[in-house]
Amino acid sequence: MVPDLQEIEQVHESIKSRINRTPVLTSSSINKIAGCEIFFKCENFQKTGAFKFRGANNALLSLSDEELSRGVATHSSGNHAAALALAARKSGVKAYIVMPRNAPRNKVNAVKEYGGNIIFCEPTQQSREETLNDVVSKNGAVFIHPFNDYRIIAGQATAALELIRETGNLDYVIAPVGGGGLLSGTSLAVKLSDNNTKVIGAEPSGADDAYRSIRDGKIYPSIEPKTVADGLRTSLGEKTFDIIRRFTNRIITVNDTRIIEAMRLIFERMKIIIEPSSAVPLAAVLANKIIFEGKKTGIILSGGNADFDNLPWK
Amino acid sequence: MVPDLQEIEQVHESIKSRINRTPVLTSSSINKIAGCEIFFKCENFQKTGAFKFRGANNALLSLSDEELSRGVATHSSGNHAAALALAARKSGVKAYIVMPRNAPRNKVNAVKEYGGNIIFCEPTQQSREETLNDVVSKNGAVFIHPFNDYRIIAGQATAALELIRETGNLDYVIAPVGGGGLLSGTSLAVKLSDNNTKVIGAEPSGADDAYRSIRDGKIYPSIEPKTVADGLRTSLGEKTFDIIRRFTNRIITVNDTRIIEAMRLIFERMKIIIEPSSAVPLAAVLANKIIFEGKKTGIILSGGNADFDNLPWK
């Protein structure tokens, strides 16, 4: 069932000792450039470097002892894999992570360091799913989907809950959208708390499947997405699509040039590290200043796992 | 006169509304790697991106109205230039900044943005000094030395004062050393508060003039320094040398490979941006784990003005 505000608040209570309470930062120089007042919720400082750790912990807390004894499994080459691995280790549970053979070395190392059991597959969707099915049927591990799961969505919603509790009412809250776990959770937490706040999804124009899906009322798969924002190349799931359709005000797309500019602006002015996906909301503001002029705007900085060997402005 | 603790506390009171109260951050994963408990005082989040803003403000506050009306001047291609420019603008005072023609574009732009009047000179010590003398004699501007000045030293001391007030007693406090303004201020604030805390200067081995100067009891000029830590290529001044000799316990040198590794570790684990000079203290800890084992260790992260087009691990 779609989480309501009470459930999100309960989830927050149950995971809050396991997660970092991340800071809300402001930058007077970025406010000046943007022409509005921005509150950055810094999930780049979350454990494992991304908001995904919230949902992963909530998923683990939802399992029975019998399920926990069998372990958890997922396929991911990104932040969900690291988040599930660490959340599982902290619960004393095995995590089986299916990763493509060509996954970036830093991502593989992160999962290893957090104690995840990596099973490599070929870099195709088919191989991923087959390998995951093998792991699940052999070990009885419980599959934890990276976003199309109400427990995950409710967990991700707690970032926006903390944000609006700290700032009070905002005019806008913006989150990036890939599979939609963060955006659907953010939309629920914000709209159920104050229906006057507008929630906006920010999406790369080179991976605009969510924009088109919401526009046309049906899920388009993300086919050959082309964007530097590697966390946002996924298609929506049925659950995230349904929530975004009902609770998100609109989706704004923005091109990679602007995404890279916004990422660098945050590096230079705030002295904090974000990954490209996290720069999309600020890029959306800077490309649409007239919409946000003078408004109190919350932005979820989703993660900080940038690849320092391949910063996008090189 | 060498500032005493009371003076440093008074300076802190007088500048504190003008500066950022920067956070003290910890990283459990870096503690695990280092084998000790490190408290990072984050002057990378200071206004203008470096601790230099503290001393610059104190210098301005020390001037008479008549002096202020003539403006301030300095020669610097680094953080002191930007700090003095902004501090002057906030006091409604003109700042004349002599910079070499070949200064990095981002440094020139920062000074411009903060309203500094830039006077370019040839990239030699002689041209710098002549150009500065011209500016001072023509405009009557008051020369503010980047470090060899008790007002500057007392200002820089306030970073360590805030650190130890927040953490309580520490076993060690480490600051990088270039011209010695930060290290001498840190040594005064720490040793005058608690003589049991050891203060250590961290210096690149490719620019080890401070190490040799303290060892031999006389100031060696920094000749052709070779280090990635561009903020630490300067020689000590007479005032900073004298304070460091009396109040700093020792200087540890560390090579550029370790400095770059430490910089990257802070990027990856803490998701914050520091410039190479700021990585030298952590590099000194990691190269001397036996000294710091299990100890409470404060580190001043001096600044965050890294050049993202030339990160040193490329």
Side-chain angles (χ1 to χ4, degrees):
Chain A
M1 224 170 62
V2 173
D4 60 17
L5 187 60
Q6 198 190 354
E7 183 182 343
I8 294 167
E9 288 171 341
Q10 282 165 355
V11 166
H12 187 245
E13 278 304 307
S14 64
I15 65 173
K16 81 178 182 193
S17 66
R18 299 170 171 237
I19 62 173
N20 286 341
R21 169 95 196 195
T22 57
V24 176
L25 299 183
T26 60
S27 162
S28 51
S29 76
I30 291 181
N31 284 349
K32 207 167 147 190
I33 293 165
C36 61
E37 196 182 355
I38 302 178
F39 299 89
F40 293 97
K41 175 66 173 169
C42 291
E43 289 297 295
N44 53 331
F45 295 146
Q46 188 51 264
K47 285 179 184 166
T48 72
F51 73 90
K52 296 273 188 183
F53 192 64
R54 295 174 181 268
N57 272 289
N58 190 44
L60 274 155
L61 286 170
S62 73
L63 299 181
S64 68
D65 287 349
E66 188 275 323
E67 286 171 315
L68 291 172
S69 72
R70 291 188 269 132
V72 292
T74 200
H75 55 72
S76 163
S77 55
N79 289 329
H80 176 63
L84 191 66
L86 184 63
R89 189 176 72 184
K90 287 187 178 268
S91 298
V93 168
K94 275 199 173 161
Y96 302 94
I97 312 290
V98 175
M99 299 186 94
R101 267 178 217 297
N102 62 354
R105 196 168 45 92
N106 60 329
K107 303 275 181 181
V108 174
N109 288 344
V111 172
K112 270 191 195 155
E113 195 190 341
Y114 296 136
N117 302 283
I118 299 175
I119 301 103
F120 286 106
C121 67
E122 298 308 315
T124 64
Q125 189 61 27
Q126 195 193 344
S127 171
R128 269 187 186 216
E129 286 173 10
E130 284 174 8
T131 310
L132 181 77
N133 287 341
D134 276 2
V135 170
V136 168
S137 61
K138 203 188 292 170
N139 303 287
V142 182
F143 173 46
I144 307 289
H145 193 281
F147 53 85
N148 201 41
D149 179 319
Y150 290 132
R151 299 165 299 183
I152 295 289
I153 292 168
Q156 321 307 29
T158 61
L161 188 72
E162 288 180 4
L163 169 66
I164 57 178
R165 280 184 179 171
E166 185 163 336
T167 60
N169 288 355
L170 296 169
D171 298 307
Y172 289 96
V173 175
I174 317 178
V177 56
L182 181 64
L183 180 58
S184 56
T186 300
S187 300
L188 290 171
V190 172
K191 299 301 281 191
L192 297 175
S193 296
D194 173 19
N195 194 40
N196 291 320
T197 305
K198 292 193 173 70
V199 179
I200 292 181
E203 190 174 41
S205 45
D208 68 343
D209 56 286
Y211 171 79
R212 290 181 290 111
S213 298
I214 297 304
R215 182 192 63 194
D216 296 348
K218 59 179 181 182
I219 299 177
Y220 292 111
S222 176
I223 296 170
E224 294 191 26
K226 282 201 174 53
T227 175
V228 67
D230 54 296
L232 308 180
R233 293 176 187 147
T234 326
S235 321
L236 295 177
E238 283 169 30
K239 293 185 174 69
T240 54
F241 170 73
D242 173 59
I243 295 171
I244 291 168
R245 204 157 50 111
R246 288 160 59 201
F247 291 92
T248 305
N249 289 85
R250 64 180 285 196
I251 291 176
I252 293 178
T253 60
V254 66
N255 69 38
D256 272 19
T257 304
R258 284 183 179 276
I259 293 169
I260 293 166
E261 279 171 10
M263 180 175 171
R264 184 154 179 156
L265 192 66
I266 287 172
F267 271 52
E268 287 180 348
R269 302 303 171 117
M270 299 181 69
K271 310 298 183 192
I272 63 173
I273 288 164
I274 59 164
E275 55 190 80
S277 304
S278 301
V280 184
L282 178 60
V285 169
L286 296 177
N288 297 278
K289 286 186 185 175
I290 201 161
I291 297 177
F292 298 96
E293 193 177 350
K295 301 295 185 189
K296 292 180 82 166
T297 302
I299 281 180
I300 316 279
L301 291 181
S302 49
N305 295 320
D307 179 356
F308 302 118
D309 293 318
N310 292 293
L311 289 171
W313 44 77
K314 296 301 287 187
Chain B
M1 223 171 61
V2 173
D4 60 17
L5 188 59
Q6 198 188 356
E7 184 182 342
I8 294 168
E9 287 171 341
Q10 281 165 355
V11 167
H12 187 244
E13 278 305 307
S14 66
I15 66 172
K16 79 178 183 193
S17 66
R18 296 169 173 236
I19 61 173
N20 285 340
R21 169 98 197 194
T22 56
V24 177
L25 298 184
T26 60
S27 162
S28 51
S29 76
I30 291 181
N31 284 349
K32 207 166 147 189
I33 292 165
C36 61
E37 196 181 356
I38 302 177
F39 300 88
F40 293 97
K41 175 65 173 170
C42 292
E43 289 296 296
N44 54 331
F45 295 145
Q46 188 50 265
K47 284 178 186 167
T48 70
F51 73 90
K52 297 274 190 182
F53 193 63
R54 294 174 181 267
N57 272 288
N58 190 44
L60 274 154
L61 286 170
S62 73
L63 300 180
S64 69
D65 287 350
E66 188 275 323
E67 287 172 313
L68 290 172
S69 73
R70 292 188 268 131
V72 291
T74 200
H75 55 72
S76 162
S77 55
N79 289 328
H80 176 64
L84 190 67
L86 184 63
R89 190 176 71 184
K90 287 186 180 267
S91 298
V93 168
K94 274 199 175 162
Y96 303 93
I97 312 289
V98 175
M99 300 185 92
R101 267 179 216 297
N102 62 354
R105 197 168 44 93
N106 60 329
K107 304 274 180 181
V108 175
N109 288 344
V111 172
K112 270 190 196 157
E113 195 190 342
Y114 296 136
N117 301 284
I118 299 174
I119 300 102
F120 286 106
C121 66
E122 298 308 314
T124 65
Q125 190 61 24
Q126 194 193 345
S127 171
R128 272 188 183 212
E129 287 172 9
E130 284 175 7
T131 312
L132 182 76
N133 288 341
D134 276 1
V135 171
V136 168
S137 60
K138 203 185 299 170
N139 303 287
V142 181
F143 172 46
I144 307 289
H145 193 280
F147 52 86
N148 201 40
D149 180 316
Y150 291 133
R151 299 164 298 181
I152 294 288
I153 292 168
Q156 320 307 29
T158 60
L161 189 73
E162 290 180 2
L163 169 66
I164 58 179
R165 279 184 179 172
E166 185 164 336
T167 61
N169 288 355
L170 295 169
D171 298 306
Y172 289 96
V173 175
I174 317 178
V177 56
L182 181 65
L183 179 59
S184 56
T186 300
S187 300
L188 290 172
V190 172
K191 299 300 282 191
L192 297 175
S193 295
D194 172 20
N195 194 39
N196 292 319
T197 305
K198 292 192 171 70
V199 179
I200 292 181
E203 190 175 42
S205 44
D208 67 345
D209 56 287
Y211 171 79
R212 289 180 291 111
S213 299
I214 297 303
R215 183 192 61 194
D216 296 348
K218 58 178 180 181
I219 299 177
Y220 291 112
S222 177
I223 297 170
E224 293 192 27
K226 282 201 173 54
T227 175
V228 66
D230 54 296
L232 307 180
R233 294 176 188 147
T234 325
S235 321
L236 295 177
E238 283 168 30
K239 295 186 174 69
T240 56
F241 170 73
D242 173 59
I243 296 172
I244 290 168
R245 203 156 51 109
R246 288 161 58 201
F247 292 93
T248 305
N249 289 86
R250 64 180 285 196
I251 292 177
I252 293 178
T253 61
V254 66
N255 69 38
D256 273 19
T257 304
R258 284 183 179 275
I259 294 169
I260 294 167
E261 278 171 10
M263 180 175 173
R264 184 155 178 154
L265 193 66
I266 288 173
F267 271 53
E268 287 181 348
R269 302 303 170 117
M270 298 181 70
K271 310 297 183 193
I272 63 173
I273 288 164
I274 59 166
E275 56 191 82
S277 304
S278 301
V280 184
L282 178 60
V285 170
L286 296 177
N288 298 278
K289 286 187 186 177
I290 202 161
I291 298 177
F292 299 97
E293 194 178 350
K295 301 294 185 191
K296 290 179 83 166
T297 302
I299 282 179
I300 316 279
L301 291 180
S302 49
N305 295 321
D307 179 356
F308 302 119
D309 294 317
N310 292 294
L311 289 171
W313 46 77
K314 294 302 289 186

